[in-house]
Amino acid sequence: MARVDFKLHGSCVALPTPFRYGTVDFLALEALCHRQIDAGTAALVPCGTTGEAPLLSLDEHRRVVEATVSAAGGRVPVIAGAGSNNTQTAIDLARVAEKAGAQALLCVTPYYLKPTQAGLIAHFTAIHHAVSLPIFLYDVPSRTACPMADVTITRLAELPRIVGLKDATGDIPRVKHLRRRLGDGFRLLSGDDATQAAFRRAGGDGCISVTANVTPALCAALHKACDRHDDAEIARLEAILSPVHTAMFLESNPIPVKRALYRLGLMVDGLRLPLTPLSAAADVQLAEVLKTVMPLEEQASRRAVGVGHRVVRPRAA
C-alpha cells in the first residue's frame, strides 16, 4: 500500500504548555500559536517533551490539542504528541489527539523499558493500526535510552501512515543514508536545533524546534535560506541563533524556554514537578542572550508578517 503523502517543510515548533496557578493557560497557548504562524512557522507540535506531556492528564492532553487546532485554524498542520512507554496509553493518547482534530501524530520510542527493535516495530504498528492519522516516529535516545535502528525505521516506513521521522540524534551522515533508503516522500525532521542547518543540507526537510519558541521568524528565515542554498545567509543566521540554542538547554527542556517566554511577556513560567525553576545563574545567561537576539528577531518578524496579520510582540527581556 502506498504511503500517505504528508507535505511538511521548514521550521516547526515544539510548543510548551503554559501553566498559570497549576492549570493550563489556554489564552497564553492561543497567543503563542498565533505568534508562531505569523512568523512563518510551518507546523505546531503540542504535547511533546517541550509540552511536558508526561505531566498532563488525558483530559488536559485533549484540551491542549483542541486549543492548538482551534488557534491554527487550518493555516498550518498540528502534529500532536502521543508518546508513552505503555503501548495502550500511547494508543489512548493517539485516539484523543485524532478526535481533537490533529492532522498528524508524533510518537516517541518507549522510554525506560528499553524494548528490542522487534518490540519497537510492534509498538508503533499497534499505534498505526489504532488510528487513521499520519504518524511521525521520534528517535531521541539521549532522553529515552531506546535508540531506533535504521532498519527498524525502514520496516516501519512500509506502513502507509508512517510518514516521517523526528531525528534528535544529531547524526548528520544518517540523513543521507535514510534518504537513500526511504525516498523523497518520507519526511525527515531534525530534533536537534544546533545541527538543523546541517541536517537540511544533508537532505532533511525541516526541524521541530525548541529555539523557534523564542525566535520563530529567525528560524523560519534559516530554513528559507536552506531552500535557496544561500550559504552566506545560512552562516549569518546560524551565528545569531547559536547562543539561543545553547541557552535553551542550559537546564532540562522546557525549563529554559518557559523562562525565556516569561521574560518576553508571553506566558507565566509555571512548571510541574519534578521540573523546577531555572537557576539564578542560568537565568542571568538567558537574559543576556535575549537582550542580544530579540531586536534581530523583531526585525525578522516585521519582514515575515504581512499586512493585516495579528502581531503578538514580546516585550523586552
Side-chain angles (χ1 to χ4, degrees):
M1 188 180 296
R3 183 189 303 131
V4 171
D5 184 16
F6 190 90
K7 297 186 184 302
L8 184 63
H9 187 81
S11 178
C12 311
V13 65
L15 288 167
T17 303
F19 296 126
R20 182 183 287 272
Y21 305 121
T23 61
V24 178
D25 185 346
F26 289 101
L27 289 177
L29 177 60
E30 179 183 10
L32 292 177
C33 293
H34 290 311
R35 176 174 178 255
Q36 289 293 325
I37 296 169
D38 288 342
T41 296
L44 305 177
V45 187
C47 299
T49 305
T50 307
E52 295 171 76
L55 305 179
L56 299 176
S57 69
L58 192 62
D59 184 62
E60 286 174 326
H61 188 103
R62 173 187 61 80
R63 294 180 66 201
V64 167
V65 176
E66 285 179 343
T68 307
V69 170
S70 177
R75 292 174 292 170
V76 299
V78 173
I79 305 170
S84 175
N85 59 357
N86 181 318
T87 302
Q88 186 56 54
T89 299
I91 288 171
D92 292 342
L93 292 170
R95 287 172 171 163
V96 163
E98 183 172 35
K99 289 179 181 177
Q103 283 75 50
L105 303 171
L106 179 66
C107 298
V108 71
T109 54
Y111 42 87
Y112 183 69
L113 295 175
K114 301 175 76 170
T116 64
Q117 296 300 304
L120 292 181
I121 291 171
H123 173 80
F124 288 114
T125 300
I127 300 169
H128 175 275
H129 291 343
V131 293
S132 60
L133 290 180
I135 294 171
F136 286 82
L137 308 171
Y138 183 14
D139 190 18
V140 55
S142 63
R143 277 187 176 267
T144 63
C146 182
M148 187 180 299
D150 292 357
V151 66
T152 300
I153 297 166
T154 304
R155 283 277 306 277
L156 287 167
E158 295 172 1
L159 297 170
R161 290 185 307 282
I162 302 290
V163 299
L165 170 72
K166 178 182 178 183
D167 184 346
T169 64
D171 182 354
I172 300 306
R174 186 190 200 194
V175 183
K176 289 184 178 180
H177 181 64
L178 288 174
R179 182 61 75 207
R180 285 195 299 269
R181 279 176 171 261
L182 301 168
D184 291 338
F186 192 84
R187 304 301 167 197
L188 295 175
L189 304 175
S190 172
D192 181 50
D193 275 296
T195 60
Q196 61 183 295
F199 191 96
R200 284 295 311 277
R201 282 170 158 154
D205 297 295
C207 178
I208 297 178
S209 169
V210 177
T211 297
N213 283 288
V214 176
T215 54
L218 288 169
C219 288
L222 174 64
H223 285 269
K224 289 176 182 175
C226 290
D227 293 340
R228 300 191 306 269
H229 305 286
D230 186 341
D231 291 342
E233 181 67 356
I234 292 169
R236 184 185 77 85
L237 290 166
E238 282 197 291
I240 293 169
L241 289 168
S242 179
V244 190
H245 301 328
T246 301
M248 291 303 95
F249 295 93
L250 287 168
E251 294 179 8
S252 298
N253 178 46
I255 294 170
V257 71
K258 281 195 154 185
R259 183 62 179 175
L261 293 174
Y262 166 76
R263 282 189 162 276
L264 297 177
L266 296 171
M267 59 178 278
V268 175
D269 59 343
L271 297 156
R272 286 182 174 173
L273 290 173
L275 299 179
T276 54
L278 189 67
S279 67
D283 195 24
V284 170
Q285 296 178 62
L286 175 64
E288 286 301 311
V289 170
L290 294 178
K291 182 179 178 180
T292 300
V293 78
M294 290 316 296
L296 301 173
E297 169 63 20
E298 182 68 17
Q299 292 173 16
S301 180
R302 285 197 295 268
R303 290 193 293 269
V305 176
V307 176
H309 283 241
R310 177 190 292 103
V311 182
V312 180
R313 297 196 185 283
R315 60 169 170 78

